[in-house]
Amino acid sequence: MKIYYIANAHMPTVKAHGIQLAKMCEAFVDCGANLELILPNTKRELYGMGEFYGLKQNIKQKYLPVFRGGAGRVGFLLSAVSFSVSCFIYMLLEKFRGNVNLIYTIDLDHFSFLSVPFLRIPYFVEVHGLKKTTFFHSFFFNQAKGMVATNSFIKDYLVRSYGVDKDKILVQPNGIDFEKFSSSFSKEDARKKLGISSDKSIALYSGRFYGWKGFGILMEAAKILENVSFYLVGGLKEDLTKILSYENFPSNVVFAGHKDYKEMPQWLAAADVLLVLGTSKNSDSYFYTSPMKIFEYMASRRPIVASRTPANAEIATSNEAFFYTPDDTGDFVSQIRSALRNQAAAEKKAFVACQKAKSLDWRERAKNILSFMEYNVK
């Protein structure tokens, strides 16, 4: 099966969607798919995708010309539309050559998909969140042979808002490179390798900073738990300053900054407890997310403290994590304390989570999606 995976994405990137994109391409190829990744020809990093993400499979990539309109919404719009035009021309030529079986694309923006339905090539769409209710989205989604939603709430939204046939939607949460994150690093060895002091308990959050994630509760918890070091790995201090509108962070909050994806298993192994945020004040955070960090945390076999949002609770249960009530600082602090003090319970939850993560590997996800596509293109 020849799959053309179209993504309007700057690759490689430290953002989570780049990891997801790279690992899924690798998993598709590992499952035997003949895949070509279609990307815009924007300014690229010094590292290749394989080296940057530590891929074991070679991913064939095709870079198409786009209009580089600079920063800002107008520039992005021009770039996305020009990418759509380039994709249409390239895929039309491939169709005439008899090379195309199907197209797979992902919802990274609202514009670059516009030309796909007019190619008259079977296509599938992966959806990670809510989309504007427009004629273009409705037409695009309903013309697809099938859709992949990262949780059941997104599936329900697609059925309710766009009238998509529920039988055309496969629910597949994000995945995990289990082998990479289930490494045998001890906490002591990981801290030594990273140059981290071992005299305090460490509560670690990994990922970039976005306002909809609800970071205020983490700062409030840090003020109360003065003997715990809160490590934030993946984001910059100035970004969180803008989100929270203040600069005086608690002294026990450590900003580790952006880290190489290949280094993340060591950071997770260095922690005593791993944190997953989520707020009821934002629908994306509460319902429509499938954070890869939960899968990475589960595989790392470290205790997890997570907000009990419907989105998080669809991935893990109280057998695998210490859940706190969203936006309740007191409960958040209480659950962190429980994870740190109740060692037997914490180790049991971490073990169960690690066992569950084995079935959430990227390759298993790719196998399920490939079977779904093969069935729906008959």
Side-chain angles (χ1 to χ4, degrees), residues 160-343:
R160 184 176 67 252
S161 299
Y162 297 104
V164 179
D165 183 347
K166 62 181 176 59
D167 293 329
K168 286 176 56 177
I169 305 173
L170 173 70
V171 175
Q172 278 291 295
N174 279 314
I176 173 66
D177 186 338
F178 184 80
E179 182 180 347
K180 180 185 294 292
F181 282 88
S182 61
S183 62
S184 57
F185 284 111
S186 70
K187 182 169 63 178
E188 293 73 21
D189 288 344
R191 291 188 182 187
K192 183 177 181 181
K193 195 171 184 66
L194 296 170
I196 296 175
S197 173
S198 59
D199 60 348
K200 280 189 176 183
S201 296
I202 291 177
L204 186 145
Y205 171 90
S206 75
R208 293 172 65 86
F209 304 149
Y210 298 103
W212 56 268
K213 291 188 176 181
F215 277 95
I217 194 172
L218 194 152
M219 297 303 138
E220 293 304 313
K223 293 176 184 177
I224 297 170
L225 297 171
E226 296 179 348
N227 292 325
V228 176
S229 293
F230 286 77
Y231 272 74
L232 307 186
V233 184
L236 300 176
K237 184 177 181 179
E238 49 264 37
D239 294 333
L240 198 55
T241 297
K242 292 177 183 177
I243 292 170
L244 298 179
S245 300
Y246 61 80
E247 298 181 0
N248 296 320
F249 295 100
S251 60
N252 56 333
V253 173
V254 181
F255 290 89
H258 297 316
K259 297 298 175 184
D260 192 314
Y261 173 69
K262 293 179 287 187
E263 194 178 312
M264 287 310 300
Q266 297 174 38
W267 283 97
L268 302 189
D272 293 283
V273 62
L274 300 167
L275 308 177
V276 183
L277 304 181
T279 173
S280 62
K281 300 174 183 177
N282 182 284
S283 61
D284 286 332
S285 178
Y286 199 63
F287 289 111
Y288 305 111
T289 184
S290 178
M292 288 187 295
K293 65 170 59 62
I294 295 184
F295 303 95
E296 295 169 355
Y297 290 0
M298 292 168 71
S300 70
R301 199 170 171 176
R302 291 292 184 270
I304 300 167
V305 173
S307 176
R308 193 187 290 277
T309 63
N312 290 340
E314 189 169 86
I315 298 170
T317 70
S318 56
N319 291 327
E320 296 101 37
F322 293 86
F323 278 108
Y324 70 92
T325 303
D327 309 307
D328 186 332
T329 302
D331 195 25
F332 186 37
V333 169
S334 176
Q335 295 305 320
I336 293 174
R337 283 175 172 156
S338 293
L340 293 174
R341 294 173 179 174
N342 301 334
Q343 188 172 356

Side-chain angles (χ1 to χ4, degrees), residues 17-231:
H17 72 257
I19 299 170
Q20 202 269 2
L21 180 60
K23 299 305 293 186
M24 276 306 298
C25 286
E26 179 184 45
F28 278 138
V29 173
D30 196 39
C31 289
N34 179 9
L35 181 139
E36 182 174 321
L37 177 61
I38 312 297
L39 298 167
N41 187 19
T42 56
K43 184 179 179 181
R44 281 167 269 157
E45 303 292 340
L46 296 175
Y47 297 99
M49 198 169 81
E51 180 184 0
F52 190 86
Y53 296 112
L55 304 182
K56 297 178 181 178
Q57 295 285 356
N58 181 48
I59 308 301
K60 183 180 179 181
Q61 299 161 56
K62 178 68 176 181
Y63 289 89
L64 300 182
V66 295
F67 179 80
R68 300 180 185 179
R73 182 168 178 77
V74 174
F76 175 77
L77 173 60
L78 291 172
S79 176
V81 172
S82 64
F83 179 62
S84 179
V85 173
S86 290
C87 284
F88 182 82
I89 295 171
Y90 178 70
M91 293 307 305
L92 200 61
L93 291 173
E94 290 293 282
K95 181 180 179 180
F96 287 149
R97 296 183 185 115
N99 295 332
V100 183
N101 288 119
L102 62 86
I103 291 172
Y104 193 86
T105 189
I106 190 169
D107 63 338
L108 293 176
D109 63 68
H110 297 290
F111 308 105
S112 60
F113 61 78
L114 290 175
S115 65
V116 172
F118 301 101
L119 289 163
R120 310 300 295 174
I121 297 170
Y123 67 90
F124 292 80
V125 188
E126 183 167 324
V127 181
H128 286 240
L130 301 189
K131 297 289 164 277
K132 294 179 180 178
T133 308
T134 67
F135 167 79
F136 296 108
H137 281 92
S138 182
F139 177 73
F140 178 63
F141 292 155
N142 282 284
Q143 291 298 310
K145 284 289 186 179
M147 303 184 70
V148 177
T150 50
N151 71 23
S152 63
F153 302 104
I154 294 174
K155 176 180 179 176
D156 293 343
Y157 173 80
L158 292 170
V159 173
R160 184 176 67 252
S161 299
Y162 297 104
V164 179
D165 183 347
K166 62 181 176 59
D167 293 329
K168 286 176 56 177
I169 305 173
L170 173 70
V171 175
Q172 278 291 295
N174 279 314
I176 173 66
D177 186 338
F178 184 80
E179 182 180 347
K180 180 185 294 292
F181 282 88
S182 61
S183 62
S184 57
F185 284 111
S186 70
K187 182 169 63 178
E188 293 73 21
D189 288 344
R191 291 188 182 187
K192 183 177 181 181
K193 195 171 184 66
L194 296 170
I196 296 175
S197 173
S198 59
D199 60 348
K200 280 189 176 183
S201 296
I202 291 177
L204 186 145
Y205 171 90
S206 75
R208 293 172 65 86
F209 304 149
Y210 298 103
W212 56 268
K213 291 188 176 181
F215 277 95
I217 194 172
L218 194 152
M219 297 303 138
E220 293 304 313
K223 293 176 184 177
I224 297 170
L225 297 171
E226 296 179 348
N227 292 325
V228 176
S229 293
F230 286 77
Y231 272 74

